[in-house]
Amino acid sequence: IRVDRVIGLILVSMRQKLFLLISFNIILRPFALGLVPLKDQFRVKNLGKRRDAVIMMGRRAAKNAARKGKSDMAKAKLYARAGKKIVMAVKAGGPDQIANTQLAQIIRDAKSAGVPVANIERAVKAGSATETADFKESTFEAYGHGGAGLIVNVLTDNANRASADVQSTIRKRGLKLASPGSVLFNFERKGKITVKADTIDDDKLLEIAVEAEVDDYCSEPGDEDGTTTILTDLPGLSNMQDALSDAGFQVLDANLAYVPLTTVSSITDDDIQSNFAAIYALEALDDVDSVDHNMDLDDEE
């Protein structure tokens, strides 16, 4: 076989492959991506694995994507938070639930939220071990895309590791680390209770609040489908949680959260999507408990 003929066949084959590659990128790729630009894709760490997630356009879609993203990691974060809080309570007051009422309450909450008994027992044992480090709470503040403010809530046994991971993720996602208080001043610390219910009738919620002697409260749709979130002032968190349980509602989670005093409404859909990509990446970190923000996700008229 002549050498020039072999080279010619190779060149024809290369041109065919190049044509197919260009055709895919121009014609087929938009359909493969659901008509969403490549820049709007991001990866989410979910329960130790990584999955592809495509964000749709629009505020309604952003809200749905946010709810779905939180739902995907909610159970893992709930179990981790319960374990860390049990360790903290045991370190502070010992493993005896009769003598350590704080521990007893945390364990009751964990069981109510569906945390496996084996997980609870391991956390108590870990807290009793002298070699187990205690967990500490801290916050990081960041400026997001479009002027949004983010509060990163950390619960860690290694402050240096947590600081390095959080700051690295903030930089990689195009956010800016803020000085202490520069973002937090626009947020208020609230009790956040999530119950398994599509909605709660206003009159029924008022009755429960009166029973709990809680004046400052409100309700909103939960992060997961089929759930409702009740926000209370800090002193009323425990009483409201108990009253909801007594009224027959399954309390899935009760925790503290930063609620914005004012929200950022003049923010583009692209910025919203970029901020949620950053939030997912931050919440995927083991030391990050949750991330609060002040983006206004109300549907545009």
Side-chain angles (χ1 to χ4, degrees):
I1 302 176
R2 291 169 54 183
V3 174
D4 58 346
R5 179 172 175 79
V6 173
I7 295 175
L9 290 173
I10 293 174
L11 290 175
V12 170
S13 177
M14 291 177 64
R15 282 197 297 269
Q16 290 175 340
K17 290 180 179 179
L18 180 61
F19 173 78
L20 291 173
L21 180 61
I22 294 174
S23 298
F24 174 79
N25 276 279
I26 294 177
I27 299 172
L28 300 178
R29 186 168 168 270
F31 294 95
L33 296 179
L35 301 179
V36 179
L38 181 62
K39 68 182 179 67
D40 289 333
Q41 291 188 12
F42 59 90
R43 301 184 65 83
V44 178
K45 180 181 178 184
N46 180 30
L47 305 182
K49 302 177 181 178
R50 295 190 67 85
R51 64 178 180 84
D52 288 321
V54 177
I55 295 185
M56 301 171 287
M57 298 297 288
R59 292 178 187 243
R60 183 187 297 274
K63 186 186 294 185
N64 292 337
R67 186 170 297 175
K68 180 62 169 63
K70 283 184 175 292
S71 175
D72 287 342
M73 281 191 282
K75 184 174 291 186
K77 283 294 181 183
L78 175 63
Y79 289 3
R81 181 190 305 137
K84 292 176 182 180
K85 287 189 173 181
I86 289 172
V87 170
M88 293 171 67
V90 172
K91 292 288 186 185
D96 186 353
Q97 294 186 49
I98 297 177
N100 190 342
T101 56
Q102 181 188 18
L103 174 63
Q105 180 64 50
I106 292 172
I107 290 178
R108 281 197 300 270
D109 294 345
K111 289 180 177 179
S112 175
V115 178
V117 174
N119 291 37
I120 295 173
E121 292 176 347
R122 280 197 300 269
V124 172
K125 185 177 180 180
S128 302
T130 56
E131 63 271 17
T132 302
D134 200 358
F135 288 90
K136 304 293 183 183
E137 293 179 303
S138 63
T139 59
F140 291 84
E141 303 170 44
Y143 297 112
H145 301 277
L150 276 65
I151 306 297
V152 184
N153 304 295
V154 169
L155 189 56
T156 182
D157 59 350
N158 188 321
N160 292 332
R161 179 191 64 214
S163 178
D165 288 347
V166 169
Q167 293 188 52
S168 174
T169 303
I170 286 175
R171 287 193 301 269
K172 288 179 180 178
R173 292 294 172 172
L175 310 184
K176 182 181 178 182
L177 190 67
S179 58
S182 58
V183 175
L184 200 57
F185 82 95
N186 191 40
F187 288 77
E188 182 179 12
R189 195 71 156 157
K190 290 278 191 179
K192 182 179 180 181
I193 305 169
T194 302
V195 298
K196 190 174 183 180
D198 290 324
T199 59
I200 300 180
D201 180 76
D202 290 341
D203 292 337
K204 180 64 175 179
L205 188 57
L206 174 60
E207 178 184 334
I208 294 172
V210 170
E211 178 68 23
E213 299 182 348
V214 174
D215 297 324
D216 185 3
Y217 71 92
C218 66
S219 66
E220 59 185 32
D223 293 330
E224 299 181 62
D225 291 335
T227 65
T228 297
T229 294
I230 297 94
L231 300 174
T232 73
D233 56 11
L234 296 184
L237 174 60
S238 180
N239 287 347
M240 191 69 162
Q241 179 184 354
D242 291 341
L244 285 163
S245 296
D246 293 342
F249 291 97
Q250 182 183 356
V251 176
L252 301 176
D253 191 20
N255 200 29
L256 301 178
Y258 285 103
V259 179
L261 299 173
T262 59
T263 56
V264 177
S265 56
S266 57
I267 183 171
T268 67
D269 294 336
D270 285 344
D271 285 337
I272 289 175
Q273 293 162 23
S274 296
N275 286 331
F276 274 120
I279 289 173
Y280 296 152
L282 286 164
E283 290 189 335
L285 299 175
D286 291 338
D287 292 316
V288 172
D289 184 52
S290 62
V291 180
D292 299 310
H293 66 83
N294 64 350
M295 289 183 288
D296 186 349
L297 299 181
D298 286 342
D299 299 332
E300 293 175 308
E301 298 296 335

